[in-house]
Every structure is written in C-alpha cells, then in structure tokens.
Amino acid sequence: MSIEENYLRIKKEIPENVTLVVVSKTHPVEAIQKIYDLGHRDFGENKVQEMLEKAELLPKDIRWHMIGHVQTNKIRQMADFVHLIHGIDKAKRLKEVQKRAKNADRVQDVLLQVKIADEDTKFGMTLQEAREVLNTENVAKMQNVNIVGLMGMATFTDDMEQVREEFQALKNLYDELKAEFPQIQHLSMGMTADYQIALEEGSNMLRIGSAIFGARDYN
Ligand SMILES: *Cc1c(COP(=O)(O)O)cnc(C)c1O
C-alpha cells in the first residue's frame, strides 16, 4: 500500500478527538509533503537538527512536534517555531524552555514525559516527579511555558497486558492531574505497535511512523 493509503486507513481508525502526530523521522520531505497534501498538519521528529532542516523546506503551517529526548542545549534552536515539545523529562529543562520561549515572544506548550516502561533505556520522570513539577511554584510562575499534558512510551514487548497496564498507569495520572490543572488536556501515548491499546486506554494523541511510511532505514 502507498503511504497515502496507510495514512487514510489509520485516520479512519482514529476518533475525531484524537490527534494523530505523523512521525516522519528519517523520511524525506517528499514523503511528508504527500501526507501534507491530504490535509495533515501535525508531524513529529525526534532530532532537532533534522526537524529544522525539514521545516525550512516544507510549508510553514506544519505543526512540528518534538517527540524525542530534549537536551537543554537544543531548546534554543527550535524555540521560535516548535508546536509541542513532548519529551520534557526533567524539571530543570523547563527553565531553559521558559528563557528561550520568552526570547522568542511565545508561550511554549510542553508535555511531561513520564517513564512508564520497565526499561532503563527510556527517559522520563516518575509519576511522583510529574506531580511535583506541576505543583512547583516556580513552574506555575513561568509565563512562557504551558504544561498541557503527559507523554509516555510503553515497554517494547509482546506482552500486551503489560503494555496495557503501563498505559493505564499514565491515564490514571492524567485524570488526576487534569482534575487539578485545567490546562492539562493531551495524553500522548501509542505508536505503531501499540496504538490500538493506547486508544482503548484513553490516549488522545498518537505518534505513528512505521505504520504509515514503512520501516525506517537508519543507514
Ligand atoms: C519513532 C517514535 C515514534 C513512532 O514510532 P513507530 O513505531 O514508527 O510508529 C513514536 N514516539 C517516539 C517517541 C518515537 O521516537
């Protein structure tokens, strides 16, 4: 199937209120343009440099999502255009986002990345750290940062019950925080291997790459 057909098939599976972030990392701008031409505007990249290069070449109304691990020294480079930063894994990075967003005269939307997976390789804060960040006075005073939700990645495993439990843990935290902080409205969970489970468990933002573009070639 063509990438257009893959995209349209997945769009049909997803309820209206769920945002699909098409993950275009490693894929050329021509492939992104094809999905753009179908009316899609939300694209995700995991490397700042690659996102910058693509953003330069593609239409300016694309909403770029930074879904990868965010190093503090990379925040400046995307501060004047990135739509949503999914991977805030430490409170200290918010200070840098605040500074760079202020310079760019923007309010930057971010998600807190929570570590739900049972893997050392995955980034993120604990459930308790995420609660604490939102309850920190300094964070509340940041005029140019808006924490609008949570992001998580499940363990890479065939055990779908484990994946489901991890998503449930994130959804429970989301519900708890949303009740207290009205700006919390996005729950970014679910990728190619597990997006159906993520939807069943209450995700409202999916990040899907391979199911649309095919397998990535890192060479
Ligand atoms: C690459 C990536 C995705 C998309 O993965 P697929 O399996 O290709 O759908 C989603 N989220 C993050 C954080 C990623 O790095």
Side-chain angles (χ1 to χ4, degrees):
M1 280 211 282
S2 68
I3 65 176
E4 288 96 330
E5 285 166 329
N6 291 339
Y7 167 78
L8 292 170
R9 177 176 47 81
I10 288 171
K11 271 301 268 187
K12 236 186 273 170
E13 289 177 40
I14 301 176
E16 282 281 316
N17 66 315
V18 174
T19 302
L20 171 61
V21 178
V22 171
V23 176
S24 49
K25 65 191 187 199
T26 77
H27 298 291
V29 290
E30 292 75 20
I32 300 173
Q33 184 72 48
K34 286 182 185 169
I35 307 293
Y36 178 92
D37 289 342
L38 297 174
H40 196 80
R41 293 295 178 268
D42 290 275
F43 292 91
E45 291 283 335
N46 70 337
K47 295 207 168 76
V48 175
Q49 189 57 38
E50 187 175 341
M51 184 173 75
L52 286 167
E53 286 166 13
K54 288 174 174 173
E56 189 66 34
L57 296 169
L58 285 159
K60 299 305 166 223
D61 62 341
I62 286 181
R63 293 185 288 267
W64 290 102
H65 295 246
M66 176 40 61
I67 62 168
H69 183 238
V70 181
Q71 287 163 310
T72 301
N73 62 4
K74 296 286 166 79
I75 291 170
R76 179 183 54 83
Q77 293 173 274
M78 57 180 168
D80 61 348
F81 76 99
V82 66
H83 176 66
L84 179 62
I85 302 176
H86 291 232
I88 297 293
D89 63 334
K90 288 196 173 73
K92 67 169 189 192
R93 304 211 204 282
L94 291 171
K95 243 178 94 178
E96 179 71 8
V97 175
Q98 164 60 30
K99 180 173 156 191
R100 299 306 178 181
K102 186 162 195 273
N103 283 346
D105 199 18
R106 296 180 66 221
V107 175
Q108 182 65 59
D109 285 347
V110 304
L111 306 180
L112 300 181
Q113 182 169 357
V114 178
K115 187 172 185 293
I116 50 174
D118 182 18
E119 282 169 8
D120 290 340
T121 51
K122 299 232 160 103
F123 294 101
M125 46 185 91
T126 64
L127 303 177
Q128 186 53 24
E129 280 167 340
R131 284 189 192 95
E132 279 165 18
V133 168
L134 277 158
N135 281 295
T136 303
E137 209 178 318
N138 289 344
V139 172
K141 282 199 204 124
M142 290 178 177
Q143 300 277 328
N144 302 79
V145 179
N146 201 12
I147 300 173
V148 295
L150 304 176
M151 181 271 217
M153 292 170 86
T155 303
F156 185 69
T157 172
D158 292 336
D159 182 351
M160 287 302 151
E161 265 320 296
Q162 180 178 352
V163 169
R164 189 179 294 284
E165 281 168 23
E166 290 171 355
F167 285 153
Q168 281 167 355
L170 192 59
K171 173 62 158 60
N172 288 342
L173 179 68
Y174 171 78
D175 288 340
E176 174 194 319
L177 293 175
K178 191 177 163 60
E180 205 179 332
F181 303 94
Q183 77 272 24
I184 299 280
Q185 46 181 306
H186 300 298
L187 180 56
S188 170
M189 62 182 198
M191 23 206 279
T192 293
D194 55 22
Y195 72 89
Q196 276 109 346
I197 299 176
L199 282 177
E200 285 165 20
E201 298 307 330
S203 168
N204 62 21
M205 189 173 270
L206 303 173
R207 310 174 310 271
I208 298 182
S210 317
I212 295 168
F213 294 112
R216 280 179 292 278
D217 181 357
Y218 285 98
N219 297 312

